[in-house]
């Protein structure tokens, strides 16, 4: 079945710097890749997603890139702010299923 | 509008007891999912319901775990004879199922289960 690996597990940056989180997936037919942000003690919330027929998507300071050949996708956050501090999860949807397979999460800490 | 709700928010139980967790999806959402999140870990899929179709139970870790859903409303996840390794946050999510597979899953706040 699908397997998603996520790196790094923790990431510390200074406010204003960029942050990049990378995920790889195993099933080349997976077709949907969302990113969720989970603040401490709160529910995961979708921040951006990308479909397999698109290479890049941007939403203000957040962007996601997808390389289907290499089977990896990345989250890019520019001009980081302290409120970006949270755990970020990537996920992939394998073909023929509705479930999401999640990575193990990246704890991002943005220091003022 | 109201989001996904779950109850109880916290549950402490003794090893060997049965527990029942409840999820109320967003009204009109036909798809419902249960995930488990162990401390410091990612989300682990448990089960998926869609209308009257047979549920996808492929993520249930053992026969001690079961779930039910009545129509397109409330779902309950039951864990029998709880073990300490069942301690986790159990998250429920719901989604519309239009133009699949690109359906955003909306998560509830979770039930934190602690098995002593």
């Amino acid at each position: 079945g699908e397997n998603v690996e996520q790196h790094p597990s923790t990431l510390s940056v200074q406010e204003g710097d960029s942050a990049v989180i990378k995920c790889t997936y195993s099933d080349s037919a997976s077709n949907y890749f969302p990113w969720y942000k989970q603040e401490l003690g709160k529910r995961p919330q979708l921040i951006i997603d990308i479909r397999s027929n698109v290479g890049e998507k941007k939403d203000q300071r957040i962007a996601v890139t997808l390389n289907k050949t290499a089977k990896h996708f990345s989250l890019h956050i520019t001009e980081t702010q302290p409120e970006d501090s949270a755990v970020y999860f990537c996920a992939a949807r394998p073909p023929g299923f509705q479930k999401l397979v999640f990575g193990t999460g990246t704890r991002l800490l943005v220091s003022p | 509008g109201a989001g996904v709700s779950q109850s109880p928010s916290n549950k402490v139980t003794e090893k060997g007891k049965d527990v029942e967790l409840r999820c109320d999806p967003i009204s009109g959402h036909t798809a419902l999912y249960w995930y488990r999140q162990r401390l410091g870990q990612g989300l682990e899929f448990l089960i998926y319901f869609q209308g009257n179709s047979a549920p996808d139970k492929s993520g249930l870790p053992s026969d001690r775990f079961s779930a039910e859903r009545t129509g397109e409303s409330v779902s309950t996840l039951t864990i029998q004879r709880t073990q300490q390794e069942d301690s986790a946050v159990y998250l429920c999510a719901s989604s519309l199922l239009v133009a699949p597979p690109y359906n955003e899953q909306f998560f509830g706040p979770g039930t934190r289960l602690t098995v002593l």
Side-chain angles (χ1 to χ4, degrees):
Chain A
E2 175 66 282
N3 182 53
V4 177
E5 295 189 353
Q6 183 171 348
H7 301 280
S9 56
T10 59
L11 180 59
S12 294
V13 298
Q14 292 290 316
E15 183 176 0
D17 287 350
S18 294
V20 180
I21 303 170
K22 299 181 180 180
C23 289
T24 60
Y25 59 100
S26 60
D27 190 332
S28 58
S30 286
N31 50 27
Y32 174 63
F33 307 92
W35 285 88
Y36 282 82
K37 175 182 180 182
Q38 187 175 31
E39 297 178 23
L40 189 62
K42 299 199 174 176
R43 70 190 76 189
Q45 291 196 304
L46 180 73
I47 55 170
I48 196 167
D49 56 12
I50 192 166
R51 305 176 185 184
S52 58
N53 59 349
V54 175
E56 182 176 3
K57 183 176 178 181
K58 294 183 75 171
D59 182 3
Q60 299 183 1
R61 297 186 297 107
I62 294 173
V64 57
T65 58
L66 172 65
N67 182 328
K68 288 196 296 182
T69 302
K71 292 188 287 186
H72 68 70
F73 56 113
S74 300
L75 178 71
H76 305 252
I77 306 174
T78 58
E79 300 171 27
T80 54
Q81 302 168 2
E83 51 265 38
D84 294 330
S85 297
V87 178
Y88 292 80
F89 292 97
C90 63
R93 173 171 283 139
F97 291 94
Q98 289 298 325
K99 67 181 180 183
L100 294 174
V101 177
F102 283 84
T104 50
T106 295
R107 182 173 301 277
L108 174 65
L109 176 61
V110 181
S111 302
Chain B
V4 178
S5 61
Q6 292 185 244
S7 60
S9 55
N10 282 284
K11 177 71 176 178
V12 180
T13 190
E14 294 180 347
K15 178 181 173 181
K17 300 282 190 183
D18 297 352
V19 295
E20 201 170 88
L21 313 180
R22 176 186 170 108
C23 171
D24 285 87
I26 294 172
S27 178
H29 280 195
T30 56
L32 187 146
Y33 315 75
W34 283 97
Y35 292 88
R36 176 169 70 178
Q37 186 175 28
R38 290 192 165 119
L39 187 63
Q41 305 277 321
L43 283 72
E44 176 189 5
F45 168 76
L46 297 177
I47 189 168
Y48 159 71
F49 294 93
Q50 165 54 26
N52 294 320
S53 302
D56 175 4
K57 303 181 181 180
S58 61
L60 294 179
S62 78
D63 59 8
R64 296 187 296 105
F65 288 72
S66 63
E68 292 184 350
R69 187 183 188 196
T70 305
E72 295 180 355
S73 60
V74 171
S75 175
T76 55
L77 176 70
T78 301
I79 309 173
Q80 295 178 310
R81 304 181 302 282
T82 51
Q83 304 294 312
Q84 289 183 330
E85 62 262 29
D86 299 334
S87 296
V89 175
Y90 289 82
L91 289 159
C92 174
S94 71
S95 70
L96 291 168
L97 208 62
V98 294
Y102 314 122
N103 307 300
E104 177 180 356
Q105 295 183 19
F106 294 84
F107 283 86
T111 293
R112 180 175 299 278
L113 175 65
T114 303
V115 182
L116 301 177

